Amino acid sequence: MASESPVRHRQSPRRRSPSRSPSPRTKRLRRAQGERVVGRSRDREDSRGREKRGGERERERRRREGDKERTRRDVTDVEVGDKRRRGSGREETEERKRAGADDERQTRGIRERSPSPLDRSSRKSRRSPERAPASRHDEGSNARGSGEEPNDEDDSIAKMKAAEEALAAKKKEEPSFELSGKLAEETNRYRGIAILFNEPPEARKPNKRWRLYVFKDSEPLDEPLQLHRQSCYLFGRERRIADIPTDHPSCSKQHAVIQYREVTVEKPDGMVEKQVKPYLMDLGSTNKTYINKDPIEPQRYYELREKDTIKFGNSSREYVLLHEGSAE
């Protein structure tokens, strides 16, 4: 009987189960975990960046403070050096002054103590024989006591100081001949009336025979007014002081003044000479003064020229300025 061969059953290999896809919940957990990891890494980077920036800011702040401190120290050193230099300069100046004063004192003392050869010879000639031994005795005593110097320097300094003090006191006591306010006011009065005008230092009498021709409504009135006998002429309603009265109601009591002044004039050839010219000044009148129908500013000189026409206030009179050489 045939033996039965053993039958080997081949085991079939295990079939691997296909990988299962993670569930949505697992995906969400993994995603959340990854986001947490990324967030933590970002937080670490941000914290490191903040620390780095904070360190840089701190270093910048310390550097600025160090610069300020160095600048403050430099300024302080410069100020101290300037003070020291100024102090040393003052000390040197004072030392020079003291040295110069000492030299001057020594020179004066030597001049006072050292007689000239002529003085010595005259002194020797005037000595009598009877006093010769005494003089020798005096010379010996002076030779023995030569260690003590006479106090001539202090005496000369005291005399100089006394002279300076006397000179200063004399200067203080010198009278002042300038006019005070009251005295100037009194000198600027005429017939009890205060004059609104003072003549300038350059006031002079004219060289030409100037004249004022008076017209009213284009018709001449009276004779021309002579303006060459004095250095200034006052116009106004106050007849007690006015040189040329202007009786119109619109004119002020002291309306205007014609002043002759010596001025420097340059010739066409470049040479310079002095001439006396007439000037008109309004004295702050109410209704103004006019030159050729143009009003002038008060308290200001205006040069007058030949054939100029002057009007005062609202008066219809016109004053034409001419001189003896003017063409008729």
Side-chain angles (χ1 to χ4, degrees):
M1 180 177 176
S3 61
E4 294 179 358
S5 61
V7 177
R8 294 180 179 178
H9 298 281
R10 185 180 294 177
Q11 296 179 354
S12 61
R14 293 181 179 180
R15 297 180 63 183
R16 294 181 181 179
S17 60
S19 61
R20 291 184 302 174
S21 61
S23 63
R25 181 172 178 275
T26 305
K27 289 181 181 180
R28 286 195 298 272
L29 290 175
R30 289 178 181 176
R31 193 181 302 114
Q33 186 177 4
E35 289 177 356
R36 282 197 296 273
V37 171
V38 173
R40 287 172 187 170
S41 61
R42 287 179 179 174
D43 292 340
R44 289 195 207 97
E45 292 177 358
D46 293 341
S47 61
R48 289 173 185 171
R50 284 194 296 271
E51 290 177 358
K52 185 176 181 181
R53 287 192 295 273
E56 291 177 355
R57 290 175 183 172
E58 183 67 19
R59 287 193 295 273
E60 182 67 20
R61 186 181 62 81
R62 290 179 181 176
R63 186 181 64 78
R64 289 178 181 175
E65 290 179 355
D67 294 341
K68 290 181 180 178
E69 185 66 24
R70 284 193 295 273
T71 305
R72 193 181 300 112
R73 289 176 183 174
D74 294 341
V75 172
T76 305
D77 295 340
V78 171
E79 291 177 355
V80 171
D82 292 341
K83 289 180 180 179
R84 288 177 180 174
R85 283 194 294 273
R86 286 196 294 269
S88 61
R90 289 173 188 158
E91 291 176 358
E92 290 178 0
T93 305
E94 292 176 358
E95 186 66 26
R96 290 175 184 172
K97 289 182 179 179
R98 284 196 293 270
D102 294 341
D103 294 341
E104 188 175 357
R105 290 173 187 170
Q106 292 177 3
T107 305
R108 289 177 181 171
I110 291 170
R111 289 176 180 174
E112 292 177 359
R113 290 196 298 270
S114 60
S116 63
L118 295 175
D119 295 338
R120 292 172 184 170
S121 60
S122 61
R123 288 177 185 175
K124 289 180 181 180
S125 63
R126 286 197 299 270
R127 288 177 183 172
S128 60
E130 292 83 2
R131 299 190 60 183
S135 63
R136 289 195 209 98
H137 181 267
D138 294 337
E139 289 176 2
S141 62
N142 289 334
R144 287 192 297 271
S146 60
E148 299 178 1
E149 294 182 0
N151 200 9
D152 294 335
E153 295 181 2
D154 296 338
D155 295 338
S156 62
I157 294 171
K159 290 179 182 178
M160 290 174 58
K161 289 183 178 179
E164 290 176 356
E165 292 175 358
L167 183 60
K170 185 177 180 181
K171 287 183 179 180
K172 288 181 181 179
E173 295 175 359
E174 285 181 354
S176 176
F177 296 101
E178 297 180 356
L179 298 179
S180 61
K182 282 291 181 185
L183 186 58
E185 183 180 354
E186 291 297 328
T187 56
N188 200 29
R189 298 178 72 87
Y190 180 68
R191 295 183 179 179
I193 300 175
I195 307 298
L196 301 179
F197 169 75
N198 281 326
E199 285 194 83
E202 66 273 14
R204 300 289 187 277
K205 285 186 179 181
N207 301 323
K208 296 181 180 179
R209 292 179 177 269
W210 291 96
R211 301 168 186 173
L212 274 180
Y213 290 82
V214 186
F215 293 87
K216 184 175 182 180
D217 298 331
S218 301
E219 294 292 330
L221 299 177
D222 303 329
E223 294 293 326
L225 304 173
Q226 304 295 329
L227 296 181
H228 63 275
R229 295 187 176 94
Q230 58 193 44
S231 59
C232 70
Y233 289 85
L234 179 62
F235 295 79
R237 286 191 297 108
E238 185 59 65
R239 285 182 168 268
R240 288 181 294 174
I241 58 175
D243 298 304
I244 301 176
T246 54
D247 297 330
H248 196 273
S250 64
C251 296
S252 301
K253 292 183 179 180
Q254 299 181 47
H255 197 100
V257 63
I258 289 180
Q259 175 69 61
Y260 292 99
R261 302 168 62 199
E262 186 181 57
V263 295
T264 303
V265 179
E266 185 177 357
K267 293 182 177 181
D269 58 355
M271 301 297 291
V272 176
E273 68 172 1
K274 291 186 178 181
Q275 296 181 4
V276 179
K277 294 186 175 183
Y279 290 81
L280 179 67
M281 183 170 70
D282 183 89
L283 299 179
S285 62
T286 304
N287 296 308
K288 299 184 179 181
T289 304
Y290 299 83
I291 299 178
N292 300 328
K293 299 182 180 181
D294 295 327
I296 63 175
E297 297 180 6
Q299 306 299 332
R300 181 178 174 184
Y301 284 113
Y302 286 81
E303 182 182 351
L304 292 174
R305 295 182 175 86
E306 184 184 0
K307 298 182 181 180
D308 277 348
T309 302
I310 305 171
K311 285 187 66 177
F312 303 103
N314 299 326
S315 175
S316 59
R317 295 194 177 192
E318 297 179 349
Y319 299 80
V320 180
L321 183 66
L322 299 172
H323 56 77
E324 59 184 357
S326 301
E328 293 292 331

